[in-house]
């Protein structure tokens, strides 16, 4: 566990300190510039998929709680632009949906 | 009028305390002692990475997986630092701590803003205050998590929501359909062929390749 934590701490700090160590000329590299602008969104999209990849979509409620709650998160965030509201709203909805099995009942499954 | 240090940090408190608590609850839910949560909040201090740690620990991943996954997950920090290179130059002895504590939220409060009067005190104070909220959240969540009077089933969705919110933020700043299509393609391919714990490493590498290939081909 300690090694695990130190690995994550080291990796995190490497990413935070790296730009302060880089030679200025590297920052102008075309390859670096492309990665720089594109990677953050790409990784976040992949993380959303990663965190939902074990959702059972072939049986009731066919991943609908996840899809619905995710849509609520995005809609709330575009509307209110408050990360806490978006995260709490979507998570609360998700917890209600899966704890009550509401969608299964509604769908008659 | 400029808002005070505390006022600037308050929205972060409303985000960090419940999110830190969610993390603490998830971590003790895996069977770890409560004090690991504040230790991770103090030593790692990276929200999405600590949530990632929970899923990695739950999946039985090792330190090498954690290192690679955290590097890839936190690669975005490099771009925060790039933006703040000049502002952080004036921080003197506190510079290392400010870089250590450069989270998404701290960056969002500093990145687009010009330096203030007594900027060193402001930047270091904000960084420390924000980390304080986070460590409080981690500690409280880990301590009360097991005895909450309601079911926490589904709470882990908060990390999906966190990533989605950050994605929306990124999308509003710079939306480019090309890289997103590449990422979706990489995600689909990796869901089919490598849906296990290496999904993240594989799909990010693949998506990066899709990202840089056009720029290589277009090189004059």
């Amino acid at each position: 566990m300690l090694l695990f934590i130190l690995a994550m701490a080291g990796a995190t700090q490497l990413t935070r300190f790296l730009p302060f160590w880089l030679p200025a000329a590297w920052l102008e590299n075309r390859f670096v510039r492309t990665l720089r602008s594109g990677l953050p969104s790409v990784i976040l999209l992949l993380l959303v998929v990663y965190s939902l990849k074990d959702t059972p979509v072939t049986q009731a409620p066919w991943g609908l709680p996840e899809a619905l709650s995710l849509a609520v998160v995005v809609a709330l965030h575009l509307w209110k632009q408050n990360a806490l509201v978006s995260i709490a709203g979507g998570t609360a909805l998700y917890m209600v949906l899966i704890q009550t099995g509401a969608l299964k009942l509604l769908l008659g499954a | 009028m400029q808002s005070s240090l505390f006022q600037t940090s308050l929205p972060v408190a409303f985000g960090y305390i419940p999110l830190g608590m969610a993390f603490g609850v998830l971590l003790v839910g895996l069977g770890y002692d409560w004090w690991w949560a504040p230790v991770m909040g103090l030593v790692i201090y990276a929200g999405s990475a600590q949530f990632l740690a929970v899923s990695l620990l739950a999946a039985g991943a090792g330190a090498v997986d954690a290192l690679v996954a955290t590097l890839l997950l936190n690669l975005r920090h490099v771009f925060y630092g790039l933006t703040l290179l000049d502002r952080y130059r004036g921080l003197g002895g506190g510079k290392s701590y400010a870089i250590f504590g450069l989270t998404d939220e701290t960056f969002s409060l500093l990145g687009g803003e010009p330096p203030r009067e007594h900027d060193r005190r402001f930047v270091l104070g904000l960084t420390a205050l924000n980390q304080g909220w986070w460590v409080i959240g981690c500690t409280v969540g880990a301590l009360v998590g097991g005895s909450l009077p309601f079911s926490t089933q589904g709470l882990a969705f908060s990390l999906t929501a966190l990533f989605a919110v950050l994605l929306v933020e990124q999308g509003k700043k710079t939306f480019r359909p090309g890289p997103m299509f590449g990422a979706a393609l990489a995600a689909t391919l990796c869901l089919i062929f490598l849906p296990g714990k290496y999904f993240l490493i594989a799909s990010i590498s693949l998506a990066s390749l899709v990202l840089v290939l056009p720029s290589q081909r277009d090189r004059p």
Side-chain angles (χ1 to χ4, degrees), chain A residues 16 37 47 51 77 84 99, chain B residues 45 73 100 153 169 176:
Chain A
R16 285 183 183 158
S37 58
L47 279 168
S51 64
H77 200 64
L84 176 59
Q99 287 188 18
Chain B
Y45 186 40
L73 171 61
F100 162 84
Q153 192 198 354
E169 291 289 329
R176 289 162 58 206

Side-chain angles (χ1 to χ4, degrees), chain A residues 5 7-8 12-13 15-17 19 30 36-37 39 41-43 47 51 53 69 77 84 91 94-95 99, chain B residues 14 36 45 49 53 70 72-74 77-79 99-100 102 151 153 157-158 160 169 176 180 195 215:
Chain A
I5 290 176
M8 292 201 94
T12 300
Q13 291 317 316
T15 65
R16 285 183 183 158
F17 276 89
R30 185 194 189 101
R36 196 198 296 181
S37 58
L39 256 187
S41 317
V42 164
I43 289 176
L47 279 168
S51 64
K53 70 181 169 55
S69 307
H77 200 64
L84 176 59
T91 305
Y94 182 72
M95 290 176 76
Q99 287 188 18
Chain B
F14 289 126
W36 283 114
Y45 186 40
T70 309
L72 293 169
L73 171 61
N74 283 339
H77 288 148
V78 174
F79 315 121
I99 299 172
F100 162 84
L102 186 56
S151 168
Q153 192 198 354
F157 189 80
S158 61
T160 303
E169 291 289 329
R176 289 162 58 206
M180 283 295 101
S215 75

Side-chain angles (χ1 to χ4, degrees), chain A residues 36-108:
Chain A
R36 196 198 296 181
S37 58
L39 256 187
S41 317
V42 164
I43 289 176
L44 286 168
L45 177 71
L46 293 171
L47 279 168
V48 173
V49 177
Y50 174 74
S51 64
L52 291 173
K53 70 181 169 55
D54 297 322
T55 304
V57 290
T58 52
Q59 61 190 57
W62 304 288
L64 278 176
E66 287 78 8
L68 210 63
S69 307
L70 196 62
V72 165
V73 169
V74 173
L76 270 178
H77 200 64
L78 290 173
W79 178 36
K80 288 288 185 186
Q81 303 190 21
N82 179 320
L84 176 59
V85 169
S86 320
I87 292 167
T91 305
L93 173 68
Y94 182 72
M95 290 176 76
V96 168
L97 288 180
I98 63 160
Q99 287 188 18
T100 61
L103 282 176
K104 274 192 189 178
L105 285 175
L106 273 175
L107 297 165

